[in-house]
Amino acid sequence: MGITILYLLIGFNLLNVITQEDTAFYKDIRFWLVLISLGILVVLTVNSI
């Protein structure tokens, strides 16, 4: 249950960063932080199975 909530929150944050029109999303540090967090969460989920 908790992992599902984390996936949803990270996905929402990634979508929020991508849909902002201020700067190119891939140049924004928030994009990389969210992407790295998602990668770590995926690795931890796979290792726990």
Side-chain angles (χ1 to χ4, degrees):
M1 178 73 177
I3 293 176
T4 305
I5 293 172
L6 286 175
Y7 275 113
L8 289 173
L9 288 174
I10 289 176
F12 178 72
N13 284 332
L14 186 60
L15 185 64
N16 189 17
V17 169
I18 290 173
T19 57
Q20 285 183 350
E21 298 178 1
D22 295 339
T23 60
F25 66 89
Y26 56 87
K27 293 181 182 178
D28 196 354
I29 188 67
R30 294 175 298 158
F31 171 75
W32 293 110
L33 288 175
V34 172
L35 203 61
I36 290 169
S37 299
L38 181 62
I40 291 171
L41 184 60
V42 168
V43 168
L44 290 175
T45 303
V46 169
N47 285 337
S48 69
I49 294 177

